[in-house]
Amino acid sequence: RVAITAGGVTKILAFSLLSIILGADTYQNWLKHLNSKGYLKHFIESINTDNQNLLMGLNSDNIKPLFIYEAKLAFLAQIAQTEAGATTLLEAGIIPRLSELTILHQLPVSSELYKQHLLVQPVFTLLTSLLTSLGSKHVVANREASHLVCVHSELISSIVKSNPGEERSKQDYQDLCVVTSLLAWLRAHQHDLVRLSRPI
């Protein structure tokens, strides 16, 4: 409940604590509780609110919304590391919510690349964890992930391409690694990416 009602640092700590608890919960009782009480659905739906807060604060020095967003997606990525967790997230509509993140099309200027890293990395880490847990034969997950790639294709292209003489930072390489891992996974497990990535 604190992760819903609190603000700032308290919310960030709440998500971090939930990530630790879920990582140690062998029998997934916490996952069942969060799902049955509607908390998990709320966390996923609130990504739209995070998107609006991030857009409003894009040129602001207030980075609390960015860290809350990062902590929330890291928490969801922890859930996605098991098949049961990934299935629960998929059924709750996590991939369409990530596809709707318009903040990814209005990234900060190059002087604030650390903000870009904090926006990009959690999305593709979560998606890769989810797909890996569900496996290659999960048609819905593959189709929705392919659609997300199409929606954010301009962003992905900007991460993958390298301009002559441009020196990449450590964060650039981390973003490149997670994006290419996702693309490689989709390429290896789908015979027809174009067909599956049509709008759904």
Side-chain angles (χ1 to χ4, degrees):
R1 184 168 296 179
V2 173
I4 295 175
T5 59
V9 175
T10 305
K11 186 184 286 283
I12 295 169
L13 291 174
F15 278 122
S16 298
L17 179 59
L18 282 172
S19 295
I20 294 171
I21 292 172
L22 284 164
D25 185 14
T26 305
Y27 298 103
Q28 300 182 326
N29 292 322
W30 273 85
L31 172 62
K32 296 171 185 175
H33 174 74
L34 291 172
N35 190 38
S36 65
K37 296 298 182 180
Y39 292 128
L40 196 56
K41 183 71 173 178
H42 173 83
F43 292 145
I44 292 172
E45 293 298 329
S46 67
I47 290 174
N48 285 331
T49 303
D50 296 332
N51 184 65
Q52 294 303 314
N53 291 338
L54 289 167
L55 285 170
M56 289 188 292
L58 190 60
N59 299 314
S60 169
D61 292 332
N62 181 16
I63 58 174
K64 284 183 181 179
L66 183 57
F67 286 125
I68 291 171
Y69 158 90
E70 181 191 26
K72 181 184 293 182
L73 292 195
F75 158 67
L76 296 175
Q78 176 65 51
I79 294 176
Q81 290 182 14
T82 67
E83 183 177 358
T87 300
T88 302
L89 291 178
L90 184 73
E91 292 174 348
I94 183 62
I95 301 180
R97 297 293 80 75
L98 297 178
S99 296
E100 295 166 0
L101 278 170
T102 56
I103 184 65
L104 297 181
H105 302 285
Q106 301 183 46
L107 293 174
V109 295
S110 58
S111 61
E112 296 183 307
L113 286 178
Y114 73 98
K115 286 187 178 180
Q116 175 177 314
H117 174 69
L118 293 178
L119 287 166
V120 170
Q121 184 81 7
V123 171
F124 293 102
T125 298
L126 168 54
L127 187 57
T128 302
S129 295
L130 186 143
L131 291 174
T132 302
S133 296
L134 291 176
S136 61
K137 296 183 179 180
H138 203 295
V139 176
V140 173
N142 289 338
R143 184 174 66 241
E144 290 186 353
S146 298
H147 178 63
L148 181 146
V149 167
C150 289
V151 170
H152 297 311
S153 59
E154 185 175 343
L155 165 66
I156 292 172
S157 295
S158 70
I159 292 172
V160 172
K161 72 179 182 181
S162 177
N163 296 323
E166 181 181 14
E167 185 176 347
R168 288 183 180 268
S169 67
K170 177 182 177 181
Q171 289 80 11
D172 288 335
Y173 281 114
Q174 289 174 338
D175 293 343
L176 178 64
C177 180
V178 71
V179 167
T180 52
S181 294
L182 171 62
L183 295 177
W185 196 98
L186 289 172
R187 177 71 176 178
H189 296 91
Q190 293 180 178
H191 297 295
D192 191 351
L193 178 59
V194 175
R195 175 178 59 82
L196 289 177
S197 60
R198 288 172 183 168
I200 55 177

